[in-house]
Amino acid sequence: MHVTYGQAISDALREEMEKDENVVVFGEDVAQHGGIFGITRGLYEIFGEDRVKNTPISETSIIGVGAGAALVGLRPCIELMYSDFLLVAFSEIYHCVAKWRFMHGDQYKIPMVIRAAAGSAFGAGAEHSNCVESLFMHTPGLIIISPSTAADAKGLLKSAIRSDNPVLFFEHKQLYQVKEDIPDEEYTIPIGVADIKREGSDVTIVAIGLMVKKAMEAAEKLAAEGISAEVLDPRTIAPLDKETIRESIEKTHRAIVVEEGNKTGGIGAEIAAMMQEEMYDELDGPVLRVAALDVPLPYDVALELVCIPNADKIVETVKRLF
């Protein structure tokens, strides 16, 4: 089946709502309007207002209601529009959603998914273009997923909805209209399992979200110059599949990490530190990082493109290891 990334997410929502009447969807304009990116379009007509609800423009309330719904047995799948707005509800996510199951033992489960569109979008500006995954990596109790393909998005969202733990599900805006093949049959993808998108023998490129596409472009360019790059997509940022990363490093002995978030304190910083602490003997050089510049993203598209990683920057960085 050949579908867009956005349609794959929509299909996952519909299929899980058909399977389990406790799955509910709510967020700003998700009902009749179908959400700002059209992902929930048609769900209101199928499942009605009891299971697909619009909310006020109040992220703290949306997350708080979602946590409450999860505590009493529902499986809320919340759309929070832009991932930038997660910070408006940071206390609810950090203190309540992430911690309550741990704090209360077997009294509570928090089967709750928070979906949010992330990343640059050709001039959306500094308040609507951020990749904030790294801020939540410092929040024990959360599962963090950032799929790069339509197939991964569908399979991982279904697993996220079925999980009894809270999940942040990041969807890059530039991927919504990308069409790809996905399986026709029912499937899920396990949380916490990375995927090798391209086999290689000289260097491992660990790439997050949209940057997987950029890494694949870079790998093609590197191949033309005689460098065989392996592209590894963690898919789940927390928990991180260290074993697959280790297996790749044992083969290539060199690594870079590519993310769209800011470089300082980013995902790459954590993964690079982990590699150098736990896989040092397998490395033939430092783990390098490619990330966004440490500046608010400008509205001007030309300036925005200067700030974020691309295939050429990845190629440049890989060459520093040889």
Side-chain angles (χ1 to χ4, degrees):
M1 185 161 49
H2 200 61
V3 300
T4 64
Y5 182 97
Q7 186 60 52
I9 293 168
S10 181
D11 289 347
L13 288 169
R14 176 180 49 77
E15 290 172 17
E16 292 305 301
M17 293 182 79
E18 288 170 349
K19 284 180 180 296
D20 186 348
E21 63 182 12
N22 289 316
V23 178
V24 295
V25 170
F26 54 89
E28 296 166 24
D29 294 327
V30 297
Q32 296 93 330
H33 183 63
I36 190 172
F37 297 102
I39 304 300
T40 58
R41 190 170 294 137
L43 297 182
Y44 178 82
E45 287 73 19
I46 298 171
F47 300 104
E49 62 182 359
D50 287 342
R51 295 182 65 195
V52 184
K53 289 184 176 292
N54 290 327
T55 65
I57 303 173
S58 175
E59 287 78 12
T60 300
S61 298
I62 296 168
I63 300 301
V65 170
L71 289 174
V72 297
L74 296 177
R75 291 187 174 272
C77 191
I78 294 165
E79 179 176 310
L80 210 61
M81 284 195 180
Y82 293 94
S83 64
D84 315 67
F85 303 160
L86 290 167
L87 305 187
V88 179
F90 192 87
S91 182
E92 289 290 322
I93 297 169
Y94 184 83
H95 287 298
C96 303
V97 173
K99 296 178 181 177
W100 276 1
R101 190 173 189 195
F102 178 84
M103 291 171 64
H104 298 283
D106 60 3
Q107 294 181 71
Y108 294 153
K109 295 177 181 177
I110 313 285
M112 174 180 179
V113 178
I114 304 170
R115 296 180 39 250
S120 58
F122 305 112
E127 295 174 331
H128 296 78
S129 302
N130 294 286
C131 290
V132 298
E133 295 93 326
S134 63
L135 299 180
F136 292 97
M137 287 179 74
H138 202 65
T139 309
L142 294 176
I143 293 169
I144 304 173
I145 297 174
S146 182
S148 68
T149 68
D152 288 349
K154 182 176 182 180
L156 283 164
L157 182 56
K158 290 168 79 72
S159 294
I161 292 170
R162 297 179 192 185
S163 172
D164 287 333
N165 293 304
V167 178
L168 296 186
F169 198 89
F170 292 93
E171 305 159 7
H172 201 290
K173 296 188 280 291
Q174 290 188 43
L175 293 173
Y176 278 135
Q177 298 306 315
V178 176
K179 278 194 169 184
E180 294 166 318
D181 290 326
I182 68 171
D184 291 327
E185 66 277 4
E186 162 82 9
Y187 73 98
T188 60
I189 292 173
I191 291 168
V193 178
D195 188 40
I196 302 295
K197 299 300 188 190
R198 179 186 175 114
E199 296 276 351
S201 57
D202 295 329
V203 61
T204 298
I205 304 174
V206 179
I208 312 297
L210 177 67
M211 293 299 107
V212 175
K213 306 290 187 196
K214 307 300 182 185
M216 295 292 277
E217 291 176 35
E220 283 292 328
K221 294 184 177 186
L222 289 163
E225 299 187 37
I227 298 173
S228 174
E230 180 148 294
V231 178
L232 188 154
D233 179 358
R235 301 194 290 198
T236 305
I237 299 167
L240 184 66
D241 183 359
K242 296 182 182 181
E243 189 53 41
T244 299
I245 294 173
R246 172 179 285 278
E247 290 169 2
S248 182
I249 297 300
E250 287 174 348
K251 179 169 56 170
T252 66
H253 305 291
R254 299 177 184 89
I256 75 167
V257 187
V258 188
E259 62 174 309
E260 193 184 311
N262 299 117
K263 189 173 188 178
T264 301
I267 299 170
E270 175 59 29
I271 295 177
M274 180 276 294
M275 288 182 189
Q276 291 178 143
E277 282 182 347
E278 301 179 20
M279 306 168 193
Y280 182 80
D281 289 344
E282 294 295 338
L283 292 167
D284 287 345
V287 179
L288 302 180
R289 294 176 288 155
V290 183
L293 301 180
D294 287 329
V295 297
L297 278 185
Y299 276 109
D300 183 88
V301 175
L303 290 176
E304 178 186 79
L305 291 173
V306 171
C307 294
I308 60 178
N310 57 35
D312 289 337
K313 291 179 183 178
I314 297 169
V315 169
E316 227 174 81
T317 304
V318 166
K319 286 181 176 179
R320 288 170 52 196
L321 294 171
F322 293 88

